[in-house]
Amino acid sequence: MSLDSDVIVDRRRIRRKLTFWRVVAALVAIAAIIAVATLAAPGKGSLTSAGSIARINIEGLIRSNQERVEALERLEKSQTAAVIVHINSPGGTTAGSEQLYDALVRLKAKKPLVVVVEGLAASGGYITAIAADHIIAQQSSLVGSIGVLFQFPNFAELLKTVGVKVEEVKSSPLKAAPNGYEPTSPEAREALNSLVKDSYAWFRGLVKERRGMDDALLEKVSDGRVFTGRQAVELKLIDQLGDEKTAVAWLVAQKGVKADLPVRDYKLSPRFGDLTFLRTAAAVTFDALGLSAIARQIEQTGMAQAADRLGLEGMLALWQPAGVN
């Protein structure tokens, strides 16, 4: 056999070996990703026993999430002694906030439950908080923003400037209104106003019932503004100033929970895109593409949170201070 033939045979043998090990490496990587995702699945990998208090974190924008509901239902059936819900959220969609509120109310029927406001419980975040019978916040936490809004962009003037007209055929004047392509009609605006008022009345009624307010106090706190923790105590929006230790003390004193139980994290709905190694990889990728602003947002809040704010639809129970959102 010639030297050239030997070289060709050796190269083919090496190529086959490289292909084999590449396949093995890919399978190992896939198995590792599946293992990490399994460990991070909602409610799994957490110690929720009769010898512990479960810590739940509600952070960022709130929207409908069936995985989170199912995780809370599993917690209902666990042997966990009690639940502490930490909230740091500006709210989100009204429907998503209602879904989370209902799930926490069902959980509260089975387990002693207390809420701790970390930095912010506004709008939908406050809807979540009032599921508990006892709300604790730090002195400088922000609480409230009782209200509902419906936002939509209108490009009518821009389209007129560039000479674009959107034609449409629809079954009735209010179908798909407002659409952003033409000035909003008085009828469409009134229809939206009716939706907002109905949701606002529901929100106010929930606050009045859960916090035991009279009409005068409800009127004072439901104008859309936020209050500090110190102000919120006086206005009956929360019950006590403090932190997680304060919450544990309340559970011990009021619910008979053992004083020496450890508090352990119970994960609700971690998203695959927010796993640390994927977040880092995504940030590096966007940096390489010259999209540094997006990269920083992903580093700070993760892939899901970076996209969430752009994807909120429908009526919102969301606190949006000027210059921030």
Side-chain angles (χ1 to χ4, degrees), residues 22-307:
R22 284 171 180 167
V23 171
V24 171
L27 291 175
V28 170
I30 292 171
I33 290 173
I34 292 174
V36 171
T38 300
L39 289 174
K44 296 181 180 179
S46 305
L47 297 176
T48 52
S49 66
S52 67
I53 298 171
R55 179 194 294 117
I56 292 173
N57 291 298
I58 305 295
E59 299 178 331
L61 298 174
I62 298 172
R63 60 196 312 168
S64 297
N65 186 331
Q66 189 57 35
E67 283 186 355
R68 181 176 59 207
V69 172
E70 292 170 359
L72 291 172
E73 289 173 349
R74 286 194 292 272
L75 187 55
E76 284 181 41
K77 301 171 185 176
S78 74
Q79 298 301 310
T80 303
V83 180
I84 298 176
V85 181
H86 287 257
I87 299 177
N88 188 13
S89 171
T93 66
T94 307
S97 303
E98 181 182 2
Q99 181 197 56
L100 180 54
Y101 168 85
D102 289 339
L104 289 175
V105 167
R106 291 193 296 269
L107 177 59
K108 184 192 67 175
K110 301 290 181 66
K111 309 283 182 186
L113 186 148
V114 58
V115 159
V116 176
V117 179
E118 292 291 348
L120 178 64
S123 293
Y126 187 64
I127 291 174
T128 302
I130 59 179
D133 291 330
H134 198 74
I135 304 173
I136 297 168
Q138 296 177 330
Q139 296 186 56
S140 57
S141 296
L142 296 178
V143 179
S145 187
I146 298 169
V148 178
L149 74 150
F150 194 110
Q151 291 181 323
F152 54 94
N154 193 294
F155 307 105
E157 292 300 318
L158 174 62
L159 294 179
K160 186 186 298 183
T161 300
V162 298
V164 176
K165 183 178 181 180
V166 178
E167 301 286 353
E168 64 180 5
V169 177
K170 54 185 179 180
S171 58
S172 57
L174 293 181
K175 179 64 179 175
N179 58 27
Y181 302 129
E182 60 186 10
T184 304
S185 69
E187 294 79 12
R189 190 171 296 278
E190 181 57 34
L192 291 177
N193 189 46
S194 176
L195 293 177
V196 170
K197 284 184 176 179
D198 187 65
S199 291
Y200 179 47
W202 167 79
F203 194 168
R204 281 170 52 100
L206 197 63
V207 172
K208 181 178 181 179
E209 175 190 349
R210 296 295 300 143
R211 301 305 301 168
M213 294 184 180
D214 57 30
D215 290 335
L217 183 55
L218 179 63
E219 193 67 29
K220 186 175 182 179
V221 301
S222 61
D223 60 359
R225 71 178 116 168
V226 292
F227 303 90
T228 66
R230 287 161 56 91
Q231 293 172 323
V233 170
E234 298 296 326
L235 296 170
K236 297 180 67 174
L237 289 168
I238 67 170
D239 299 288
Q240 191 176 0
L241 295 175
D243 53 16
E244 184 173 272
K245 290 184 178 180
T246 312
V248 172
W250 181 82
L251 289 170
V252 171
Q254 300 297 324
K255 298 297 182 179
V257 175
K258 293 182 180 178
D260 58 348
L261 294 185
V263 181
R264 292 173 174 157
D265 285 330
Y266 182 84
K267 297 185 183 300
L268 290 180
S269 54
R271 302 188 185 186
F272 195 65
D274 283 338
L275 295 177
T276 303
F277 71 95
L278 289 178
R279 181 184 301 187
T280 302
V284 170
T285 301
F286 278 106
D287 256 335
L289 293 173
L291 302 174
S292 300
I294 296 177
R296 299 291 78 77
Q297 180 70 15
I298 290 172
E299 284 180 343
Q300 294 171 13
T301 62
M303 291 284 286
Q305 287 291 340

